[in-house]
Amino acid sequence: MNDMRIVKRDVDMNDTKISAKGVQVFYGDTHAIKDVDVEIKDKTVTAFIGPSGCGKSTFLRCLNRMNDTIDICRVEGNILLDGEDIYDKRVDPVQLRAKVGMVFQRPNPFPKSIYDNIAYGPRIHGLAKNKADLDEIVEKALRRGAIWDEVKDRLDAPGTGLSGGQQQRLCIARAVATEPEVLLMDEPCSALDPIATLQVEELIDELRENFSVVIVTHSMQQAARVSQKTAFFHLGNLVEYGDTEQIFTNPQDERTESYITGRIG
Amino acid sequence: MSDFTADNSPAAGKGSSLFKETARTKRRNAAEARFKAYGIGAIALGLFFLIALLSAIISNGIPAFKQTFVTISVELPEAKLDKNGNRDPAEMAKVTTFGYKPVITNALIAALKAEGIEIPFAKEKDVADILSSSAPAQVRDTVLANPDLVGQTVDFRLLASSRVDGYFKGRVTREALARDKNLDAEHLDIADQMVKAGLMETTFNADFIFGADASESRPEQAGIGVSMVGSFFMMLVVLSLALPIGVAASIYLEEFAPQNKWTDLIEVNISNLAAVPSIVFGILGLAVFIQFAHLPQSAPLVGGLVLTLMTLPTIIISTRASLKAVPPSIRDAALGIGASKMQSVFHHVLPLAMPGILTGTIIGLAQALGETAPLLLIGMIGYIASNMPDGIASGFLDPNSAMPAQIYEWAKRADPAYYERAWGGIIILLLFLMTMNIIAVILRRRFERRW
């Protein structure tokens, strides 16, 4: 645990993509997220780490308003995407989610063909003018999802017939097909074996060129491997947020140190 | 149970052999064997009753599909049937069935004499009781439809009376006829000779499947066809109302409605409605559709509306169950790439729930098809002297019966010949229900998807 491999990467001083200020989340009477401030940079992988139930997934789901689907969930505070408040009354969450895509914990391809899985997003957003356009979008998305070579001969096969790792990369490809600006990933590797995990992690690193990626993970090694920025959540509080290297080598907060050295969590 | 009670038998302690069953293991195995035996016994009992029921239905119902017919040549005298000789059907219609009866009687007597069959009655025309009282009407209808037949000798295939028919099916005996004023044992002797001479035969009767109901005294003429059409129009109403309303209501309740005490109340009420006795829906239909809305009585439209009310809870409950069975990850996936709520439901959730919805709908329809009690209250029962509806509107609005109501009506009529027809009707109804259930199974197999 202590000999974690930390890859030193350049962290560009990019613009802020998402800026959250004083975010509070309530599930009924439960105060799940307490006063979280965080600035998520563009073209950066940001990792949310913390023990189970610390609110990291909840916070992630606030960023594209997936929590709207839960009746008892209430969000306060400001979350700005490119300076615009996403909880503003004028914002349609559907439009927001086209900009902020999401990949889930368990691979969840639609029970349709591989092609239709990818093409669904572009179709409902009207991104393709004709069939040739759509074919191109599908190929590009599958290439970005690092799965094109494996599936190019069987685009008509059902997406559910792929292996777990392939399914998850298909889901990532599906998410990038709609050309989002931010990609949220909720423990994308927790249902995968180590080899598939490695492939997805490499993919995440490549995606950084085009998107701002936010990843929730249980595995500190994974956070260290893939992210440039890390946020540590504990009991609904954002305890510490900073460069990944700094969080893992020189944590400022006692709780962070306890967690990354394995004393709590 | 008994596993937990303390017992004094030596437990399988150290040193005991694995080859030797302990008392406790023996008891547990015996309990398991007993339970399996109970299960097999229960299934065997169920199978026995199923087989008993099916064989009773088949053995009682099959005779209804056969009928005894008399084939004779009838001379159609112009002097009696068309006095003016201008073959005008309007004028010829003035001759009623009473005018035709002697014509047929004479033809029968002539046919018997030609075959050398003796007529042992004081009045020769009494022999005509062998024929159904529907025979004159049948001849008259044929003649009016084709006036040029008058003056010719035409071969007719006429229904025999239900007593004669019952004699050949083993329902009527000579002893029983001693107390019957409709027919004498001598008639049966003549019938036997007519069969030998080829004048009379018992064959398949398509009119039972396609024909209309008949009056109480003419069971040989009654058929289930018209009430089948009535059932068909009712099912059209049920399908076109209950499926869209039921599915839309379930989608709204399951996917869109907020969770609060109002939706809870609605949910509880839908579950309760599914358990409301169908006759309650019948009286509701009587009050609302007939007394308040003044829709025509005994009409398949009203029957269909009442059955729609009755089927809706079934469809809503099964649709909601199949919507619930669609994993939430599919909804998340669609929402996560920016589909709207409605797109996620209609593009992804609904297709996955479709087999369940269709199965529920067909089961609901089958239930409605076999429902009798509500029809009783809106008057789709009793002797409804209707023929095949002419046209769609008349099919929905004219008085008609439905298959189960027709069966009920036949079963309560006095003549045992109707009892046989009730069983026959049940065979047809069961065939319909089996077909619908098979369709449900096929749809389920065809559209079932794994995820």
Side-chain angles (χ1 to χ4, degrees):
Chain A
M1 205 58 85
N2 291 323
D3 57 357
M4 266 182 284
R5 180 170 58 104
I6 308 242
V7 180
K8 189 168 164 53
R9 289 196 195 85
D10 300 329
V11 177
D12 312 330
M13 292 314 289
N14 289 320
D15 301 331
T16 298
K17 190 71 188 169
I18 296 177
S19 148
K21 286 197 188 71
V23 175
Q24 318 267 359
V25 180
F26 302 88
Y27 283 116
D29 295 331
T30 317
H31 198 170
I33 298 283
K34 296 161 193 158
D35 205 20
V36 167
D37 294 331
V38 73
E39 303 260 307
I40 290 164
K41 304 283 181 198
D42 200 8
K43 304 210 192 308
T44 304
V45 177
T46 306
F48 290 174
I49 60 169
S52 293
C54 66
K56 53 193 191 301
S57 284
T58 301
F59 184 70
L60 187 79
R61 291 168 71 92
C62 289
L63 299 181
N64 70 344
R65 292 185 60 173
M66 280 298 273
N67 283 335
D68 287 13
T69 58
I70 302 165
D71 280 336
I72 55 167
C73 183
R74 193 155 51 81
V75 180
E76 287 172 10
N78 288 318
I79 299 176
L80 307 180
L81 174 69
D82 291 329
E84 293 174 335
D85 184 1
I86 64 170
Y87 279 90
D88 191 284
K89 277 204 177 71
R90 287 166 294 175
V91 173
D92 184 345
V94 169
Q95 236 170 308
L96 170 72
R97 288 182 203 130
K99 277 190 167 189
V100 185
M102 189 156 189
V103 175
F104 297 86
Q105 188 169 356
R106 301 187 66 83
N108 55 356
F110 299 129
K112 299 177 182 228
S113 71
I114 293 170
Y115 184 93
D116 286 337
N117 259 284
I118 306 292
Y120 181 68
R123 270 192 195 128
I124 60 172
H125 295 301
L127 298 184
K129 281 190 279 300
N130 51 42
K131 180 84 171 76
D133 244 11
L134 193 61
D135 288 349
E136 206 174 293
I137 290 175
V138 169
E139 183 180 340
K140 190 176 160 201
L142 285 170
R143 280 188 194 283
R144 276 180 172 177
I147 192 179
W148 171 252
D149 290 333
E150 288 155 71
V151 300
K152 65 183 174 197
D153 300 324
R154 47 173 175 149
L155 292 176
D156 290 332
T160 42
L162 298 170
S163 74
Q166 288 174 324
Q167 285 190 16
Q168 192 62 299
R169 279 178 287 148
L170 179 70
C171 292
I172 294 173
R174 183 177 66 189
V176 300
T178 54
E179 298 288 339
E181 294 165 22
V182 181
L183 204 53
L184 307 178
M185 297 186 168
D186 190 357
E187 300 182 35
C189 300
S190 66
L192 303 183
D193 65 55
I195 293 173
T197 301
L198 184 69
Q199 289 168 330
V200 170
E201 282 178 8
E202 284 171 357
L203 173 58
I204 291 170
D205 201 45
E206 288 165 24
L207 291 173
R208 184 164 66 94
E209 289 173 22
N210 297 301
F211 309 100
S212 161
V213 179
V214 185
I215 176 170
V216 163
T217 175
H218 259 123
S219 149
M220 283 174 284
Q221 292 93 327
Q222 185 173 57
R225 284 194 299 264
V226 300
S227 71
Q228 289 80 48
K229 288 277 198 182
T230 298
F232 172 63
F233 284 80
H234 189 239
L235 300 176
N237 294 302
L238 177 62
V239 175
E240 194 169 349
Y241 176 56
D243 291 350
T244 300
E245 196 184 346
Q246 174 253 313
I247 295 272
F248 280 98
T249 53
N250 185 22
Q252 304 295 307
D253 194 285
E254 200 182 327
R255 287 170 290 177
T256 317
E257 187 165 10
S258 304
Y259 182 67
I260 60 171
T261 53
R263 267 183 277 136
I264 59 165
Chain B
M1 282 153 275
S2 57
D3 302 357
F4 301 113
T5 51
D7 64 60
N8 306 322
S9 62
K14 268 183 192 167
S16 70
S17 166
L18 268 181
F19 297 128
K20 202 169 157 288
E21 252 185 332
T22 61
R24 178 179 284 265
T25 315
K26 259 184 207 150
R27 265 206 316 279
R28 284 195 297 211
N29 289 348
E32 192 171 317
R34 271 200 309 279
F35 181 77
K36 279 187 196 163
Y38 295 151
I40 292 171
I43 290 171
L45 194 68
L47 276 180
F48 169 74
F49 280 114
L50 181 68
I51 290 168
L53 176 73
L54 284 181
S55 53
I57 289 175
I58 289 171
S59 64
N60 282 308
I62 288 295
F65 292 89
K66 290 164 109 188
Q67 203 63 41
T68 308
F69 292 95
V70 177
T71 314
I72 47 171
S73 304
V74 180
E75 195 194 337
L76 301 168
E78 185 174 16
K80 280 187 177 160
L81 304 183
D82 189 14
K83 277 178 193 147
N84 301 332
N86 53 14
R87 302 286 187 271
D88 178 10
E91 226 168 274
M92 287 162 68
K94 284 181 186 153
V95 182
T96 62
T97 48
F98 290 108
Y100 282 85
K101 182 142 196 223
V103 171
I104 296 165
T105 308
N106 292 339
L108 180 63
I109 293 169
L112 291 177
K113 283 188 173 153
E115 292 292 337
I117 299 170
E118 206 180 313
I119 301 172
F121 299 112
K123 292 188 218 158
E124 272 191 336
K125 67 172 185 171
D126 280 352
V127 77
D129 288 345
I130 281 181
L131 293 174
S132 160
S133 45
S134 72
Q138 187 190 338
V139 175
R140 180 170 179 267
D141 289 345
T142 314
V143 171
L144 289 184
N146 189 1
D148 293 335
L149 291 178
V150 174
Q152 303 176 22
T153 302
V154 184
D155 279 351
F156 277 97
R157 190 161 169 269
L158 303 169
L159 281 165
S161 110
S162 73
R163 300 291 195 285
V164 174
D165 179 55
Y167 169 64
F168 288 114
K169 289 174 183 167
R171 193 177 63 230
V172 174
T173 59
R174 286 187 163 76
E175 293 78 55
L177 282 186
R179 281 169 275 122
D180 193 327
K181 61 179 167 44
N182 292 311
L183 208 66
D184 297 322
E186 286 78 11
H187 284 107
L188 299 184
D189 298 334
I190 296 175
D192 277 337
Q193 294 175 60
M194 285 173 78
V195 170
K196 273 197 200 112
L199 289 176
M200 191 183 272
E201 58 171 350
T202 307
T203 55
F204 175 71
N205 178 22
D207 277 349
F208 174 64
I209 303 173
F210 302 110
D213 191 16
S215 77
E216 196 131 351
S217 59
R218 295 178 187 175
E220 64 275 5
Q221 205 191 354
I224 203 170
V226 173
S227 56
M228 212 188 277
V229 172
S231 278
F232 170 74
F233 278 103
M234 285 203 307
M235 289 304 111
L236 276 188
V237 175
V238 174
L239 187 65
S240 57
L241 288 178
L243 182 62
I245 295 176
V247 171
S250 337
I251 290 175
Y252 177 75
L253 283 175
E254 197 58 41
E255 305 284 339
F256 293 93
Q259 280 286 322
N260 57 32
K261 61 181 180 201
W262 291 112
T263 45
D264 284 351
L265 189 74
I266 289 171
E267 251 166 64
V268 169
N269 277 309
I270 288 173
S271 310
N272 286 342
L273 275 182
V276 166
S278 53
I279 198 153
V280 176
F281 286 103
I283 207 152
L284 174 76
L286 176 66
V288 174
F289 298 127
I290 294 178
Q291 290 173 349
F292 176 73
H294 293 295
L295 290 172
Q297 275 185 36
S298 312
L301 175 68
V302 179
L305 289 172
V306 172
L307 293 180
T308 300
L309 294 181
M310 212 197 72
T311 317
L312 264 177
T314 315
I315 292 185
I316 291 179
I317 288 170
S318 68
T319 303
R320 292 190 66 182
S322 37
L323 288 173
K324 262 201 193 89
V326 175
S329 66
I330 296 291
R331 297 178 180 82
D332 283 349
L335 294 179
I337 52 174
S340 69
K341 185 95 193 173
M342 193 155 157
Q343 283 171 328
S344 93
V345 169
F346 281 88
H347 294 167
H348 300 289
V349 178
L350 200 55
L352 287 175
M354 219 42 178
I357 294 173
L358 289 177
T359 312
T361 306
I362 292 174
I363 302 288
L365 275 185
Q367 199 187 336
L369 183 69
E371 196 56 68
T372 324
L375 307 181
L376 207 102
L377 290 182
I378 56 160
M380 287 189 74
I381 198 150
Y383 174 47
I384 293 161
S386 61
N387 292 314
M388 284 292 173
D390 35 307
I392 307 280
S394 130
F396 282 116
L397 296 172
D398 282 1
N400 204 333
S401 190
M403 276 194 282
Q406 185 72 71
I407 291 166
Y408 169 73
E409 175 60 23
W410 283 344
K412 88 185 161 105
R413 285 183 189 169
D415 195 323
Y418 271 119
Y419 183 67
E420 164 196 295
R421 292 186 122 66
W423 286 98
I426 280 172
I427 291 183
I428 293 180
L429 186 63
L430 281 182
L431 282 180
F432 270 89
L433 296 180
M434 266 167 61
T435 315
M436 290 172 84
N437 280 303
I438 289 170
I439 291 172
V441 171
I442 291 172
L443 285 176
R444 180 165 274 264
R445 291 261 166 83
R446 172 83 38 99
F447 291 111
E448 192 123 83
R449 288 238 189 87
R450 308 252 173 260
W451 49 77

